[in-house]
Amino acid sequence: MSEIIEIGGNGNYSDFEDLLKNFKLVSKRLPTGIGFKRENQKSGTYLRFQFTLGDKRVTRASGCDFSEIGFVQALDKAIKIRHALDTITSITQFEEWYEQTILGKNQITDDRITYREIFTQIETKYWSSRNKNTKRKRSQAIANDLASYQRQYDYVFKRFNNWDIQPNWEDIKAVLLSWEQGTKSFQNSYSVVKKIIGYCPNADKMLALLADIDSKQTEFKQKQSISLEQFLEWHTLALSDSNTRYENNRKSWLWVASMCVVYGLRPTEIAAALNLDKLYTKDGVTIPAINNPDNHDLLLVLGDRTYFGITIKTGSRICKPMTLNAKLLEQLAVRNPYLPVYEHDLNSKSETVCNGFSARLRANLMLWKCPVTQAYAFRHLSNQLGEKYGIPQEIRARSLGHSVAVNESTYKKRSNLQTTVDLLTNHSKQPLSLDMAVNQLESLGFDVDDKSVKAILKVIYQLP
């Protein structure tokens, strides 16, 4: 009986010779660029791969031992490696693929996250984004942006009692239902809650539960409206009811209300006007001051910020008056700017600072018994006046600082009944086109070449 020589615990000498032959055969079948390297360890003999990764020749474990079965497994892995080297362009991505596919390492990712971490990510994303209206970069130094963040997110985050635990459906549901379902607040909070869930590892499950809750707004705040006749009657009464001590204050805030009606301004926007008493020039274009008696167009230029440092909602723009009725403009003293002096405490909350000017106007409307206490009613009245005086909707929307879609949907819902009746009953009395007017005059026996007739047509149709 021949002596058995043990080779590294892999069997007798004859078996090992056969193993080496198979090893060489398998090595010849390896894909181009992939090689084997044998490595002896205390626990046994193993195979390693050699190949070029990037610009370096590297050696990597194969996870296969030096055996018949190991050779077959290693050959299959080598084919996969060759394909990965030909298709994966990132070394980092290749290393991750190698760990999972070749070595079979199941990397368990720690996807645990707390409310605090989610809120921080949402806040970071908010401050790195831009204002949706003006497209300017958001900043914590701007009171409007702080107020917007607090109003949109912070008021929801504060409803969660413990920020340092992992999100769960019962907590989220309880916070959401702390607002009355069907209200605007509930609808807004629903959107924020949905965003919070999106950061959770089990988002799909919780989003399915959230979808079962109806977020539709069914309760709406009553929107006030006012007709021009009502406004003028109140304006006259309020102006005459002033005493010497508070006369200037009353005149200034009544002038603000008038500008909201004539130009369709949001209340705070008048404080951003740039050409009330001086001309405005940019890019070689000059727009006269509002108080200039030769300014027939009365275009109003708004800057990005008010004189007390608050940014306005849609940024700078040029506004067109919705009526150029001389008698009305004179009655409302539009050409005599009387901007109120508004100051705020530097330590006030951002929400208070942003809303302070409008709040002051509203307080005066209530004090002086105005038919409406929502200043936005003046803005909507202005839109209807523009329609009444034949200003195209595209021009009205641009002047008001919103889209045609908003003008078509939101603003028409707030129309005043009396103004609507006036629009409908006066529709047939709208001006004729120039050609139709000339034909109509000729049919009535007027001489259209007469200087007086020409002068009238020139004024009406703004001819050169």
Side-chain angles (χ1 to χ4, degrees), residues 328-348:
L328 177 62
L329 297 179
E330 182 178 357
Q331 180 177 352
L332 298 180
V334 168
R335 289 185 180 275
N336 302 311
Y338 211 140
L339 197 59
V341 176
Y342 169 71
E343 296 177 347
H344 59 80
D345 185 351
L346 295 177
N347 296 320
S348 298

Side-chain angles (χ1 to χ4, degrees), residues 169-451:
W169 172 244
E170 292 305 319
D171 276 351
I172 292 174
K173 181 181 178 181
V175 167
L176 177 59
L177 295 180
S178 66
W179 284 277
E180 184 179 352
Q181 196 166 357
T183 63
K184 180 65 174 175
S185 296
F186 183 89
Q187 187 181 56
N188 292 341
S189 303
Y190 186 96
S191 298
V192 177
V193 164
K194 188 174 183 179
K195 182 169 290 189
I196 293 171
I197 290 176
Y199 286 84
C200 300
N202 57 339
D204 291 345
K205 181 179 179 181
M206 285 201 285
L207 285 174
L209 294 171
L210 183 66
D212 289 335
I213 298 177
D214 187 3
S215 64
K216 186 176 181 181
Q217 183 180 356
T218 55
E219 296 183 16
F220 297 88
K221 183 178 180 180
Q222 183 180 3
K223 291 183 172 62
Q224 298 175 346
S225 67
I226 188 171
S227 69
L228 181 60
E229 290 73 16
Q230 288 175 310
F231 177 80
L232 293 176
E233 182 180 350
W234 166 76
H235 183 277
T236 301
L237 183 62
L239 194 60
S240 64
D241 192 29
S242 60
N243 57 55
T244 305
R245 183 179 178 185
Y246 299 107
E247 182 178 0
N248 291 338
N249 177 69
R250 185 178 293 248
K251 283 184 177 180
S252 64
W253 287 106
L254 286 174
W255 180 79
V256 169
S258 298
M259 293 297 282
C260 290
V261 169
V262 173
Y263 286 92
L265 300 176
R266 301 175 180 92
T268 305
E269 290 179 335
I270 187 57
L274 301 177
N275 68 323
L276 293 179
D277 55 7
K278 59 184 178 181
L279 57 80
Y280 174 84
T281 302
K282 183 179 179 181
D283 300 332
V285 178
T286 297
I287 299 177
I290 293 298
N291 67 350
N292 185 337
D294 296 324
N295 183 357
H296 302 296
D297 295 324
L298 284 179
L299 296 179
L300 180 68
V301 182
L302 301 182
D304 291 316
R305 294 172 181 260
T306 65
Y307 67 81
F308 46 87
I310 303 302
T311 59
I312 63 175
K313 184 174 182 179
T314 54
S316 58
R317 69 178 190 275
I318 300 177
C319 307
K320 173 184 175 65
M322 296 300 166
T323 174
L324 287 174
N325 184 296
K327 184 178 179 181
L328 177 62
L329 297 179
E330 182 178 357
Q331 180 177 352
L332 298 180
V334 168
R335 289 185 180 275
N336 302 311
Y338 211 140
L339 197 59
V341 176
Y342 169 71
E343 296 177 347
H344 59 80
D345 185 351
L346 295 177
N347 296 320
S348 298
K349 293 182 179 179
S350 54
E351 188 79 18
T352 302
V353 173
C354 294
N355 295 334
F357 190 90
S358 297
R360 188 75 58 82
L361 174 61
R362 184 174 186 274
N364 286 328
L365 294 180
M366 297 173 67
L367 179 64
W368 303 330
K369 297 180 173 54
C370 181
V372 295
T373 56
Q374 297 173 4
Y376 255 63
F378 301 153
R379 181 168 160 85
H380 288 261
L381 168 59
S382 181
N383 184 52
Q384 282 196 292
L385 286 178
E387 185 178 2
K388 178 179 179 180
Y389 286 99
I391 299 177
Q393 183 162 234
E394 291 78 7
I395 302 299
R396 279 183 280 131
R398 176 176 294 188
S399 184
L400 290 166
H402 57 223
S403 66
V404 173
V406 170
N407 203 80
E408 183 68 31
S409 57
T410 305
Y411 277 63
K412 285 196 174 181
K413 290 179 181 178
R414 197 168 185 160
S415 58
N416 177 262
L417 180 60
Q418 182 59 57
T419 310
T420 300
V421 171
D422 291 343
L423 280 171
L424 294 174
T425 55
N426 292 333
H427 179 72
S428 60
K429 300 175 184 178
Q430 295 299 309
L432 301 173
S433 67
L434 175 60
D435 291 338
M436 291 181 65
V438 170
N439 292 334
Q440 189 72 8
L441 287 171
E442 288 179 335
S443 67
L444 293 173
F446 287 94
D447 182 3
V448 293
D449 291 324
D450 182 87
K451 290 183 179 181

